[in-house]
Amino acid sequence: MSNIVAIVGRPNVGKSTLFNRLTESHHAIVDEQAGVTRDRIYGQANWNGIDFSVIDTGGYLDNSDDIFEEEIKKQVKIAIEEADVVLFLVDVSSGVTDMDKAVAAILRRSGKKVLLIVNKVDNHKRQQEIYEFHNLGLSELFPVSSVSGSGTGEVLDALVASFDAAKKEETVEDIPRFAIIGRPNVGKSSLVNALIGEERHIVTPIAGTTRDSIYTRYNKFNHDFYLIDTAGLRKKTKVSENLEFYSVMRSIRAIEHSDVCIQLIDATEGMETQDVNIFNLVKRNKKGAVLLVNKWDLVEKNNYSMKEYTQVIHERIAPFTDVPVIFISALTKQRIHKAIEEAIRVYNNRNRKIPTARLNEVMLAAFDAFKPPVIKGKTVKIKYVTQLPTPTPVFAFFCNLPQYIKDPYMRYLENRLRENFELNGVPIQLVFRQK
């Protein structure tokens, strides 16, 4: 079991900057605007050969009327419960505040190991101002500057020294990664919460609640994989704030680092242009794809509704239509486990290796049954087919005149591959080489 470290504190004291420095990444969004981090963001860190997980939390605010602040407070409490060690971050430039005292009281009651980190100590004068934080009644002070990295080495030394020796060995498992993607407010976080059985992610009716990509490990019913909840992807013309631009980048990176993308579509709005753009992004990155039509419980239906809706979706995403389409409701949990089963099946399809002998038997027969048209009096002959040793399915066709193979015939060959082999939900690539 790995050690977990939570970074907590009031808004805008530099928690996300410290998180990025400890994890040597830019996973947490950093902005001068207070309250940027809304969910718990997870990352991996290593110090002196010891691996541990780090949680960045939203800023703790008490007695707030803001819907986000109330949710942030709940998230911070969950992070404290999950953590083995808590890094309590305060700001030397503002001194001890009432809010710092409120957080300190919660931490003392938690009984967790707490390291008090005084941030923004970047000159000699501020070094002399750190001692007033002893009034919080916590452990030894650690003056740091998250921006420059000054003092973080001493924090990490104390941190790893406090870990349970039995937890110092951590094995990072190579397990599937499923990204939950889609336009804002289609129910991505609701789906993750429904699957894991807790309010892990903030859910509000306001579009754009999730700003970062959040990794959640799912280990139930003999399944073991990561779910990545992402910020909603919007059209570039609608990305006005720097903050939302960062969120779009996080979503794109989540797609790039995933194996299968589970794309949600709002059943009440239909397959919009931006949904198609997101799907094309998945296809360009050669990721497995599963389409979930969410909020199906809100749609008036007849016996043909699913068939007609699926047909419209296929028309919008053509020519890559060999994709599972499942109609769900994250709110009522209708068919959500079927969605996971399909994602696992697509993951297996994406990693499928087809024996060369069987591939040639099927595809050379398909070539003999329907040959490409004669061009300039020359006939194309395919001699041999093999699957290349790539992370995603790529098939090489060796022929005498590869330049004469046109798109319609490529689609014919791709359709024969999909008919004969389990490649549902997986973009495949055909390459033609000179024999």
Side-chain angles (χ1 to χ4, degrees), residues 157-174:
D157 286 338
L159 192 59
V160 298
S162 67
F163 289 155
D164 183 348
K167 290 187 175 183
K168 288 189 178 179
E169 292 297 324
E170 179 184 2
T171 303
V172 178
E173 296 185 49
D174 184 18

Side-chain angles (χ1 to χ4, degrees), residues 73-109:
K73 188 162 65 174
K74 286 167 38 178
Q75 298 293 326
V76 171
K77 289 180 177 177
I78 293 172
I80 292 172
E81 290 173 7
E82 291 182 6
D84 300 298
V85 182
V86 177
L87 301 183
F88 176 28
L89 206 63
V90 293
D91 183 350
V92 70
S93 63
S94 57
V96 177
T97 67
D98 290 340
M99 206 173 298
D100 290 331
K101 293 176 182 178
V103 177
I106 293 171
L107 293 174
R108 286 197 300 270
R109 289 195 298 270

